[in-house]
Amino acid sequence: MQNLVLFDIDGVLFDPERFGKLLRSRFIKILGISEEELISANADYYSKLSERTDFDPREMTAYLSDRYGKDVATLDHVFWEEDIYQDSLFPETREVLEKLKGQKTLGIFSQGNEELQNRKLDAGKIRKYFYPEYTFILRRKLSDDSIELLPREATFIDNKHDVIEALQKFVDVIWINRKSEESDPAIKTIHSLHELITDDK
């Protein structure tokens, strides 16, 4: 593993499934609808996007406000409540970052809505582990412009196998597969961030 280590956020440091469940439980209470109805509304919103990384929390709450006639400010507030971000970090995230910070230079190479991704770092209280000059939050991280920004001396960690395959031509890569015990024989594979501090090769 190189001295400079760049992490994706979702699926690596932050559990988007847990985050989604916490959000849904609060929106359901405010909107007075079933989880199934909210999931259907979410699907309708996503169907209008070119890519999932075009998701914008403020557009989503405006959409729900229009659809159900609820106050948009109340819906907006849910996205910025600090506790749901802290509760959505993977259990080992802080421990591993704390142990790595004195050994490695840590950064972020992630994609999505810039405001929301930054909120995950700030409200999750993990911003302090990452160097600002190595924090990249992009709309499309596999675009040519984004890849140009990727420091070639880095090790990059992502949970999406297709992303890892694409970026291994440019940097050292590690695939974190949290979904199964499968490993890629051609790509370093881990199943928990703990392996970064117990098996640094």
Side-chain angles (χ1 to χ4, degrees), residues 128-143:
K128 63 183 180 180
Y129 297 110
F130 305 108
Y131 281 70
E133 62 267 37
Y134 294 119
T135 298
F136 306 95
I137 297 175
L138 311 153
R139 187 52 63 97
R140 308 268 192 276
K141 67 184 173 190
L142 292 184
S143 71

Side-chain angles (χ1 to χ4, degrees), residues 146-159:
S146 297
I147 290 173
E148 276 189 28
L149 295 174
L150 184 62
R152 298 307 194 254
E153 71 276 18
T155 293
F156 174 61
I157 305 169
D158 201 293
N159 66 307

Side-chain angles (χ1 to χ4, degrees), residues 11 17 90 159 161 175-184 189-192 195:
E17 293 180 7
F90 285 110
N159 66 307
H161 192 265
W175 176 37
I176 182 167
N177 178 12
R178 295 182 180 274
K179 301 294 187 182
S180 73
E181 291 304 310
E182 178 190 0
S183 295
D184 185 325
T189 306
I190 60 175
H191 302 283
S192 164
E195 294 175 60

Side-chain angles (χ1 to χ4, degrees), residues 1-3 5 100 104 155 157 172 174 196 200-201:
M1 189 163 64
Q2 307 266 33
N3 186 60
V5 183
L100 283 177
K104 306 288 183 181
T155 293
I157 305 169
D172 184 33
I174 298 175
L196 296 176
D200 182 12
K201 296 178 180 177

Side-chain angles (χ1 to χ4, degrees), residues 114-129:
E114 186 174 3
E115 184 180 22
L116 181 58
Q117 296 302 82
N118 275 305
R119 183 63 176 163
K120 292 170 185 175
L121 299 179
D122 291 329
K125 300 190 183 302
I126 57 173
R127 168 82 65 185
K128 63 183 180 180
Y129 297 110

